[in-house]
Amino acid sequence: MHQSIHTFLIYIKGKRIPFKPQKIVAKMILPIFFMLSFLLSSSSCNALDFCVADLKTPQGLAGYSCKKLELVTVDDFVFSGLHAGNTSNLIKAAVTPAFTAQFPGVNGLGISIARLDLAVGGVVPMHTHPGSSEIIVVIQGIIAAGFVSSANKVYFKTLKTGDIMVFPQGLLHFQINAGTTPALAYVSFSSPSPGVQILDFALFGNDLPSNIIEETIFLDDALVKKLKGVLGGTG
């Protein structure tokens, strides 16, 4: 009888048993693939326990270079600077960061934290973190917060003490003190250097000629120049 080129007959104790090597190979490949993937990922992740930032070196896309191990101390892993910030400014808000530049121990770990103080009427204007998602937890007061998706859908909520909200990476978001007392929150990031771009300053705190801004965002000349004056822009 004709047999497929992928099937062979073997004889065990006089009985013919179909043998299909392609099935055996397929069953072997998957476990081998996962084993190699695990070994490769383990070797790369466990090469260093940590990489405390050497702030004397330039910062690159991947962060700072590692400080020499013999120079690392416990103080590199402790930060004591999350004190109340000065909210006597235009937006009545203060962000106190514990990013790599202030807290070298988070370098390369994919995490960081900051303190947010909002005076009555305080606001963190529309802004984005190009390199990080964000989680906020309200410690004191009432904070209205939200973000805008890439489909221009708004997700907005008034947060009270103990509430937590997440802002996906790169999306415009904001926080406003919605209460009658100062508000306090702690903010965690998925990057040791999340970066920030505040929309108002990006539009009006620069030297882009006013006529270009007017054409791109459909505002009149007087209003654009007024906003430039308030936010420190020129042109």
Side-chain angles (χ1 to χ4, degrees):
M1 182 181 298
H2 178 265
Q3 296 292 327
S4 166
I5 59 173
H6 299 294
T7 303
F8 301 94
L9 292 178
I10 60 174
Y11 290 85
I12 300 178
K13 295 184 177 180
K15 295 182 179 180
R16 295 190 302 174
I17 307 295
F19 174 65
K20 298 183 177 181
Q22 73 274 17
K23 288 188 175 182
I24 302 298
V25 172
K27 289 180 179 180
M28 292 174 63
I29 288 176
L30 196 58
I32 292 173
F33 173 78
F34 281 115
M35 184 180 297
L36 289 174
S37 299
F38 174 77
L39 290 174
L40 289 173
S41 62
S42 297
S43 61
S44 61
C45 292
N46 295 328
L48 293 172
D49 291 329
F50 48 79
C51 177
V52 173
D54 183 353
L55 300 180
K56 296 178 181 179
T57 63
Q59 183 179 17
L61 292 176
Y64 288 89
S65 299
C66 302
K67 181 188 288 189
K68 291 182 179 180
L69 192 58
E70 60 268 22
L71 300 179
V72 173
T73 71
V74 67
D75 291 334
D76 290 313
F77 303 100
V78 177
F79 182 75
S80 304
L82 289 185
H83 307 304
N86 182 8
T87 57
S88 299
N89 51 55
L90 177 65
I91 61 176
K92 299 180 181 179
V95 176
T96 306
F99 302 155
T100 301
Q102 299 82 27
F103 191 11
V106 300
N107 186 55
L109 298 183
I111 55 172
S112 61
I113 194 170
R115 172 181 174 138
L116 171 61
D117 290 282
L118 291 167
V120 176
V123 56
V124 179
M126 281 283 190
H127 64 285
T128 178
H129 302 289
S132 174
S133 295
E134 173 183 336
I135 290 180
I136 184 172
V137 54
V138 179
I139 305 300
Q140 172 187 312
I142 301 173
I143 296 177
F147 66 89
V148 184
S149 75
S150 57
N152 293 324
K153 180 175 175 60
V154 178
Y155 296 86
F156 171 79
K157 187 78 172 180
T158 298
L159 308 175
K160 299 179 180 180
T161 300
D163 287 345
I164 296 173
M165 187 172 184
V166 64
F167 308 99
Q169 179 174 338
L171 297 185
L172 286 168
H173 58 286
F174 62 90
Q175 293 96 17
I176 302 171
N177 186 340
T180 57
T181 61
L184 167 65
Y186 287 103
V187 186
S188 179
F189 299 91
S190 62
S191 168
S193 298
V196 65
Q197 185 173 38
I198 299 176
L199 181 59
D200 295 355
F201 288 95
L203 290 173
F204 306 107
N206 55 54
D207 60 355
L208 189 65
S210 296
N211 65 304
I212 299 296
I213 298 176
E214 293 158 20
E215 292 178 10
T216 56
I217 61 176
F218 312 111
L219 295 179
D220 63 63
D221 181 70
L223 184 54
V224 169
K225 289 181 178 178
K226 178 182 178 180
L227 290 170
K228 275 182 169 286
V230 171
L231 299 173
T234 59

